[in-house]
Protein backbone atom coordinates (compact mmCIF):
# COMPACT_ATOMS: atom_id res chain seq x y z
CA UNK A 1 0.00 0.00 0.00
CA UNK A 2 0.98 3.62 -0.21
CA UNK A 3 0.71 6.49 -2.56
CA UNK A 4 1.58 6.21 -6.24
CA UNK A 5 4.45 8.69 -5.77
CA UNK A 6 6.14 6.17 -3.43
CA UNK A 7 6.31 3.56 -6.21
CA UNK A 8 6.47 5.58 -9.43
CA UNK A 9 8.47 8.56 -10.67
CA UNK A 10 6.27 10.88 -12.76
CA UNK A 11 7.62 13.15 -15.51
CA UNK A 12 5.35 15.57 -17.36
CA UNK A 13 5.70 16.48 -21.01
CA UNK A 14 6.59 19.93 -22.30
CA UNK A 15 3.84 22.54 -22.74
CA UNK A 16 3.16 22.60 -26.48
CA UNK A 17 2.73 26.39 -26.56
CA UNK A 18 6.33 26.81 -25.37
CA UNK A 19 7.78 24.79 -28.22
CA UNK A 20 8.96 27.18 -30.92
CA UNK A 21 8.32 25.99 -34.44
CA UNK A 22 11.24 26.33 -36.82
CA UNK A 23 11.13 27.19 -40.51
CA UNK A 24 14.59 25.64 -40.90
CA UNK A 25 14.27 22.63 -43.23
CA UNK A 26 17.16 20.98 -41.34
CA UNK A 27 15.38 21.14 -37.95
CA UNK A 28 14.08 17.86 -36.55
CA UNK A 29 10.43 17.00 -37.17
CA UNK A 30 8.45 15.28 -34.42
CA UNK A 31 5.06 13.62 -34.52
CA UNK A 32 2.96 14.66 -31.53
CA UNK A 33 1.59 11.83 -29.40
CA UNK A 34 -2.23 11.99 -29.31
CA UNK A 35 -5.25 10.36 -27.68
CA UNK A 36 -5.70 8.19 -30.79
CA UNK A 37 -2.10 7.02 -30.44
CA UNK A 38 -2.70 6.20 -26.77
CA UNK A 39 -5.87 4.25 -27.57
CA UNK A 40 -4.03 2.34 -30.32
CA UNK A 41 -1.18 1.51 -27.94
CA UNK A 42 -3.63 0.42 -25.25
CA UNK A 43 -5.53 -1.85 -27.65
CA UNK A 44 -2.33 -3.13 -29.22
CA UNK A 45 -3.48 -2.16 -32.73
CA UNK A 46 -3.05 0.96 -34.82
CA UNK A 47 -5.90 3.44 -34.52
CA UNK A 48 -7.39 4.06 -37.95
CA UNK A 49 -8.98 7.44 -37.40
CA UNK A 50 -7.68 10.89 -36.64
CA UNK A 51 -5.20 13.27 -38.12
CA UNK A 52 -1.59 13.19 -36.97
CA UNK A 53 0.07 16.44 -36.00
CA UNK A 54 3.76 17.16 -36.30
CA UNK A 55 6.06 19.99 -35.35
CA UNK A 56 9.42 21.13 -36.68
CA UNK A 57 11.65 22.54 -33.92
CA UNK A 58 15.19 22.88 -32.69
CA UNK A 59 13.97 23.11 -29.08
CA UNK A 60 14.81 20.39 -26.56
CA UNK A 61 11.67 18.24 -26.37
CA UNK A 62 10.43 15.23 -24.39
CA UNK A 63 10.11 12.12 -26.53
CA UNK A 64 8.81 8.61 -26.03
CA UNK A 65 10.50 5.23 -26.24
CA UNK A 66 8.89 1.86 -26.87
CA UNK A 67 7.88 0.39 -23.51
CA UNK A 68 7.41 3.76 -21.76
CA UNK A 69 4.40 4.01 -19.48
CA UNK A 70 2.21 7.00 -20.27
CA UNK A 71 -0.80 8.43 -18.44
CA UNK A 72 -3.18 10.81 -20.21
CA UNK A 73 -4.34 13.76 -18.13
CA UNK A 74 -7.13 14.18 -20.69
CA UNK A 75 -8.73 10.72 -20.59
CA UNK A 76 -7.34 9.28 -17.37
CA UNK A 77 -6.01 6.23 -19.23
CA UNK A 78 -2.59 4.66 -19.01
CA UNK A 79 -0.80 2.58 -21.63
CA UNK A 80 2.56 1.27 -22.72
CA UNK A 81 4.02 3.06 -25.74
CA UNK A 82 4.43 0.80 -28.78
CA UNK A 83 7.43 0.66 -31.09
CA UNK A 84 5.48 2.56 -33.80
CA UNK A 85 5.27 5.64 -31.52
CA UNK A 86 8.90 5.68 -30.48
CA UNK A 87 10.39 9.15 -30.94
CA UNK A 88 7.02 10.90 -30.74
CA UNK A 89 6.96 14.12 -28.77
CA UNK A 90 4.70 14.11 -25.70
CA UNK A 91 3.13 17.26 -24.34
CA UNK A 92 1.91 18.46 -20.95
CA UNK A 93 -1.23 16.38 -21.45
CA UNK A 94 0.76 13.20 -20.76
CA UNK A 95 2.81 11.94 -17.84
CA UNK A 96 5.63 9.44 -18.31
CA UNK A 97 5.83 6.96 -15.42
CA UNK A 98 8.88 5.04 -14.17
CA UNK A 99 8.20 2.24 -11.66
CA UNK A 100 10.60 1.42 -8.83
CA UNK A 101 10.30 -2.34 -9.33
CA UNK A 102 7.58 -2.88 -6.69
CA UNK A 103 4.86 -2.70 -9.32
CA UNK A 104 4.86 -4.35 -12.75
CA UNK A 105 4.16 -1.82 -15.57
CA UNK A 106 1.28 -3.80 -17.14
CA UNK A 107 -0.31 -4.22 -13.70
CA UNK A 108 -0.01 -0.48 -13.07
CA UNK A 109 -1.85 0.13 -16.36
CA UNK A 110 -4.58 -2.24 -15.19
CA UNK A 111 -4.83 -0.47 -11.80
CA UNK A 112 -5.01 3.03 -13.26
CA UNK A 113 -7.52 2.09 -15.96
CA UNK A 114 -9.78 -0.39 -14.17
CA UNK A 115 -9.43 -0.53 -10.37
CA UNK A 116 -12.63 0.76 -8.71
CA UNK A 117 -10.77 2.27 -5.74
CA UNK A 118 -8.52 4.25 -8.06
CA UNK A 119 -11.51 5.34 -10.17
CA UNK A 120 -13.32 6.60 -7.04
CA UNK A 121 -10.27 8.67 -6.12
CA UNK A 122 -10.15 10.17 -9.60
CA UNK A 123 -13.88 10.96 -9.52
CA UNK A 124 -13.59 12.60 -6.10
CA UNK A 125 -10.82 14.83 -7.47
CA UNK A 126 -12.90 15.83 -10.49
CA UNK A 127 -16.07 16.79 -8.61
CA UNK A 128 -16.89 20.44 -8.91
CA UNK A 129 -14.62 20.87 -11.91
CA UNK A 130 -16.16 22.37 -15.01
CA UNK A 131 -13.38 20.85 -17.13
CA UNK A 132 -12.79 17.15 -16.64
CA UNK A 133 -9.01 16.97 -16.68
CA UNK A 134 -6.78 15.00 -14.39
CA UNK A 135 -3.78 16.60 -12.67
CA UNK A 136 -0.24 15.52 -11.90
CA UNK A 137 -0.91 16.18 -8.20
CA UNK A 138 -4.01 13.99 -8.28
CA UNK A 139 -2.05 11.18 -9.95
CA UNK A 140 0.88 11.52 -7.56
CA UNK A 141 -1.40 11.32 -4.49
CA UNK A 142 -3.40 8.23 -5.55
CA UNK A 143 -3.64 5.70 -2.75
CA UNK A 144 -2.78 2.29 -4.19
CA UNK A 145 -4.50 -0.89 -2.99
CA UNK A 146 -2.33 -3.63 -1.46
CA UNK A 147 -0.04 -4.90 -4.22
CA UNK A 148 -0.03 -8.64 -4.93
CA UNK A 149 3.29 -10.48 -5.43
CA UNK A 150 5.17 -9.47 -8.61
CA UNK A 151 4.40 -12.72 -10.45
CA UNK A 152 0.66 -12.27 -9.86
CA UNK A 153 0.94 -8.63 -10.99
CA UNK A 154 2.67 -9.79 -14.18
CA UNK A 155 -0.05 -12.36 -14.93
CA UNK A 156 -2.91 -9.91 -14.25
CA UNK A 157 -1.25 -7.22 -16.38
CA UNK A 158 -0.63 -9.60 -19.30
CA UNK A 159 -4.19 -10.93 -19.24
CA UNK A 160 -5.59 -7.39 -19.08
CA UNK A 161 -3.56 -6.13 -22.06
CA UNK A 162 -4.32 -9.25 -24.11
CA UNK A 163 -8.04 -8.89 -23.38
CA UNK A 164 -7.99 -5.27 -24.58
CA UNK A 165 -6.34 -6.41 -27.81
CA UNK A 166 -8.92 -9.17 -28.33
CA UNK A 167 -11.76 -6.65 -27.77
CA UNK A 168 -10.22 -4.20 -30.26
CA UNK A 169 -9.73 -6.93 -32.89
CA UNK A 170 -13.32 -8.15 -32.49
CA UNK A 171 -14.58 -4.59 -32.86
CA UNK A 172 -12.48 -4.08 -35.99
CA UNK A 173 -13.77 -7.34 -37.50
CA UNK A 174 -17.38 -6.31 -36.76
CA UNK A 175 -16.80 -2.92 -38.43
CA UNK A 176 -15.25 -4.57 -41.50
CA UNK A 177 -18.14 -7.05 -41.74
CA UNK A 178 -20.63 -4.18 -41.56
CA UNK A 179 -18.85 -2.28 -44.35
CA UNK A 180 -18.73 -5.42 -46.46
CA UNK A 181 -22.42 -6.08 -45.90
CA UNK A 182 -23.38 -2.46 -46.65
CA UNK A 183 -21.35 -2.61 -49.86
CA UNK A 184 -23.11 -5.80 -50.85
CA UNK A 185 -26.55 -4.33 -50.04
CA UNK A 186 -25.68 -1.25 -52.08
CA UNK A 187 -24.92 -3.42 -55.12
CA UNK A 188 -28.05 -5.54 -54.69
CA UNK A 189 -30.43 -2.57 -54.34
CA UNK A 190 -29.40 -1.01 -57.65
Amino acid sequence: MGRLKNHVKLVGGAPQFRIRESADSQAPVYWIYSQNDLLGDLAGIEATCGERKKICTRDEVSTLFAGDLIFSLISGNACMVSKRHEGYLYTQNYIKMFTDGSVVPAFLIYLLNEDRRIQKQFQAGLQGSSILKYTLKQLRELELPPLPPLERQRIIGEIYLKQLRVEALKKRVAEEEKLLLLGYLGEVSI
Side-chain angles (χ1 to χ4, degrees):
M1 258 173 84
R3 299 205 183 278
L4 184 69
K5 67 182 177 185
N6 299 334
H7 299 275
V8 178
K9 179 182 173 191
L10 304 168
V11 179
Q16 191 172 342
F17 64 87
R18 289 195 183 148
I19 300 171
R20 295 172 304 194
E21 288 200 59
S22 175
D24 180 0
S25 62
Q26 301 301 310
V29 175
Y30 299 94
W31 291 104
I32 298 174
Y33 196 75
S34 70
Q35 267 317 112
N36 279 337
D37 297 327
L38 181 138
L39 293 173
D41 284 344
L42 188 57
I45 59 173
E46 187 67 34
T48 55
C49 60
E51 198 174 301
R52 288 212 158 89
K53 294 181 184 176
K54 60 184 173 180
I55 189 168
C56 183
T57 184
R58 290 215 175 268
D59 289 357
E60 187 88 13
V61 294
S62 303
T63 58
L64 299 169
F65 296 93
D68 281 348
L69 291 177
I70 286 288
F71 180 83
S72 168
L73 295 173
I74 299 166
S75 68
N77 287 320
C79 78
M80 192 172 300
V81 175
S82 67
K83 183 81 174 150
R84 69 181 158 266
H85 296 127
E86 188 164 86
Y88 276 44
L89 178 152
Y90 72 102
T91 65
Q92 77 278 6
N93 293 325
Y94 300 92
I95 305 297
K96 195 186 282 193
M97 302 180 290
F98 301 90
T99 67
D100 67 357
S102 65
V103 60
V104 172
F107 182 74
L108 181 59
I109 293 168
Y110 162 74
L111 277 180
L112 293 172
N113 293 349
E114 304 296 338
D115 188 84
R116 286 188 197 123
R117 294 161 288 198
I118 299 278
Q119 296 308 312
K120 281 184 182 180
Q121 292 176 65
F122 278 139
Q123 290 308 312
L126 292 175
Q127 286 184 356
S129 296
S130 59
I131 299 173
L132 296 179
K133 187 173 177 187
Y134 301 84
T135 66
L136 178 58
K137 181 181 188 292
Q138 188 181 26
L139 185 62
R140 189 179 283 128
E141 297 300 321
L142 284 175
E143 189 70 36
L144 295 178
L147 297 173
L150 291 175
E151 183 59 19
R152 185 170 291 157
Q153 289 182 38
R154 186 188 64 71
I155 292 168
I156 291 169
E158 281 182 20
I159 290 171
Y160 173 66
L161 294 177
K162 285 178 181 176
Q163 178 58 35
L164 291 176
R165 180 167 168 71
V166 167
E167 283 178 36
L169 290 171
K170 284 181 179 179
K171 184 177 178 183
R172 184 171 279 178
V173 166
E175 289 169 2
E176 294 294 327
E177 286 175 347
K178 177 184 173 185
L179 290 175
L180 189 64
L181 180 63
L182 289 174
Y184 175 73
L185 291 175
E187 289 176 12
V188 173
S189 67
I190 296 177

